[in-house]
Amino acid sequence: MAQLVMVGACYVDTILSVDHYPGEDEKLRASSLNRRRGGNCPNSLEVLQQLVHHSQTDLSLSLISVFPKCESDSTTFIRQSLGSSINCDGCIYRQDHTEPASSYVIHSQKTNSRTIVNYNDLSEMTFEEFESCIGRVQLPANCWFHFEGRIPDTTLECILFLREHHPSVMISVELEKPGRPGLEKLAAEADLVFYAKGWAQASGYRSMEECLQSQSQATPKSKYLCCTWGENGAALLTKFNNSCISVPALKISEFEIVDTIGAGDTFIAGIFFGLLCHNDDWNWTRKLRFANELAGRKVIQNGFQGLGSVMTHHME
Ligand SMILES: Nc1ncnc2c1ncn2[C@@H]1O[C@H](COP(=O)(O)OP(=O)(O)O)[C@@H](O)[C@H]1O
Ligand SMILES: *[C@@H]1O[C@H](CO)[C@@H](O)[C@H](O)[C@H]1NC(C)=O
Ligand SMILES: *[C@@H]1O[C@H](CO)[C@@H](O)[C@H](O)[C@H]1NC(C)=O
């Protein structure tokens, strides 16, 4: 059975909806409170687990992330949100902390603005912690590791460690957060790189094709590069023959765009579903179309629920 191990941070968002954005020292009553688990890798895994379940294919899914104390309410909340088919044995618990990495969001209904205050007191995973996690898990022959491009120095050490000790492992990385020096070094070591629109724009690219063609030179070891571009869709470059394919974003006229949080993570889930569950029977055009349609279905609904079932007819 193939395995996908995703390495990245987990967040808990608390969203307070208010009529208007409060002034300093103002007292205000919120009309609703919503809590949801976020984080790029957990989001992708949540979607992938649904796809695997609905297609009745076999794929083992694991998360390596830093959690607060094992017995804390927030850890229970996070683990419940992930469901039982995501293996968290490699997760790292900070026993002296009870709060997860958190975002507190004030959502003003009047202007639709979202003001965010972050709190994160959990120290990041160290290379030594990663190394000891890997020591504890069995890696099958067909194994992918995906890294959220977060802490470039540590991530680079992790990638080089895998290359040395587990040379058959395939490695991917996502470049999302603009202006984080060192992310390019991760891309240069990966087999597959995902470029997010925000990163590409901040790097001066005006289109996904331009980003991919230009990054192609900077990533001599990579095999595939993907770039997503919101309402413009997504593109994929296959290194071996320098062929670039792109697909326009899904447009379903009777639906409004309601929630784009995690669209990129959903796209990544779709690509992995193609790569790991349909590597031989779907060509790259089909893999890209599937991921793009999956992400397009996500933005017309809140959260990730039910994405597996809406895609069932595309999964044969
Ligand atoms: N307005 C939209 N309409 C249809 N699909 C969309 C829209 N916004 C995003 N998507 C889908 O989600 C994918 C990722 O979008 P993007 O905005 O680049 O991600 P993120 O902002 O989460 O990094 C796109 O490639 C597309 O498939
Ligand atoms: C390039 O190679 C990929 C992967 O082998 C293949 O799917 C695609 O059809 C090729 N494209 C062209 C234009 O030859
Ligand atoms: C890829 O597969 C689709 C069917 O899923 C087919 O229509 C298309 O022609 C194929 N593309 C290539 C380049 O083989």
Side-chain angles (χ1 to χ4, degrees):
M1 198 200 321
Q3 181 172 3
L4 173 64
V5 182
M6 300 193 95
V7 187
C10 199
Y11 273 87
V12 173
D13 297 341
T14 303
I15 303 145
L16 283 170
S17 293
V18 292
D19 167 68
H20 62 275
Y21 185 75
E24 193 166 341
D25 270 346
E26 188 181 337
K27 199 167 176 182
L28 195 64
R29 193 181 270 267
S31 58
S32 71
L33 181 145
N34 258 299
R35 246 182 131 200
R36 65 187 198 185
R37 196 242 38 258
N40 296 5
C41 290
N43 287 348
S44 297
L45 286 168
E46 187 178 342
V47 175
L48 258 165
Q49 134 183 278
Q50 294 182 36
L51 298 173
V52 169
H53 175 78
H54 280 275
S55 61
Q56 293 170 345
T57 47
D58 269 338
L59 173 62
S60 147
L61 301 170
S62 302
L63 174 67
I64 297 182
S65 191
V66 177
F67 288 173
K69 186 181 165 117
C70 195
E71 304 78 17
S72 63
D73 291 346
S74 30
T75 295
T76 307
F77 174 74
I78 292 168
R79 294 201 58 156
Q80 270 170 0
S81 73
L82 288 167
S84 57
S85 46
I86 294 166
N87 184 323
C88 294
D89 292 351
C91 284
I92 298 149
Y93 298 90
R94 300 264 179 255
Q95 288 298 107
D96 50 348
H97 284 80
T98 53
E99 291 303 309
S102 313
S103 293
Y104 292 88
V105 183
I106 296 179
H107 176 209
S108 152
Q109 266 135 9
K110 192 171 270 167
T111 57
N112 211 20
S113 72
R114 296 166 56 92
T115 305
I116 303 175
V117 179
N118 286 324
Y119 177 75
N120 184 6
D121 200 29
L122 292 178
S123 50
E124 297 287 341
M125 176 188 76
T126 63
F127 168 68
E128 289 70 27
E129 286 174 325
F130 177 78
E131 192 182 5
S132 101
C133 286
I134 301 310
R136 279 184 271 134
V137 294
Q138 196 98 59
L139 304 181
N142 186 8
C143 184
W144 276 83
F145 268 74
H146 173 84
F147 293 90
E148 176 189 358
R150 246 178 96 67
I151 311 295
D153 292 349
T154 307
T155 308
L156 187 60
E157 273 188 279
C158 298
I159 293 177
L160 297 176
F161 172 83
L162 289 172
R163 289 290 190 222
E164 184 179 352
H165 297 278
H166 300 278
S168 69
V169 161
M170 297 290 283
I171 294 174
S172 63
V173 65
E174 183 191 17
L175 271 53
E176 186 199 26
K177 310 206 168 42
R180 230 174 246 201
L183 287 182
E184 288 91 343
K185 281 199 196 126
L186 305 182
E189 295 297 331
D191 298 296
L192 162 63
V193 187
F194 295 98
Y195 298 94
K197 181 185 175 186
W199 185 88
Q201 283 182 318
S203 306
Y205 300 120
R206 283 155 302 174
S207 72
M208 43 198 185
E209 291 83 0
E210 187 187 345
C211 172
L212 293 182
Q213 293 296 354
S214 161
Q215 285 299 309
S216 177
Q217 271 108 55
T219 55
K221 296 183 190 165
S222 68
K223 297 181 179 67
Y224 308 105
L225 306 178
C226 275
C227 184
T228 58
W229 208 278
E231 70 285 348
N232 285 355
L236 169 103
L237 183 109
T238 306
K239 277 303 208 39
F240 137 89
N241 51 15
N242 196 36
S243 112
C244 190
I245 50 176
S246 59
V247 284
L250 184 72
K251 287 227 159 47
I252 309 179
S253 53
E254 65 266 36
F255 291 103
E256 263 182 81
I257 309 294
V258 295
D259 173 22
T260 58
I261 297 170
D265 307 331
T266 305
F267 175 86
I268 289 176
I271 291 289
F272 277 116
F273 182 70
L275 263 177
L276 291 162
C277 299
H278 290 281
N279 198 32
D280 302 325
D281 57 332
W282 290 6
N283 62 27
W284 266 106
T285 307
R286 181 149 184 207
K287 290 180 182 119
L288 181 64
R289 281 215 179 108
F290 178 84
N292 180 66
E293 169 146 3
L294 178 69
R297 298 265 169 193
K298 191 263 139 319
V299 300
I300 57 173
Q301 67 166 56
N302 276 303
F304 304 108
Q305 293 83 3
L307 287 173
S309 61
V310 299
M311 294 301 286
T312 309
H313 59 291
H314 295 283
M315 298 199 287
E316 279 88 46

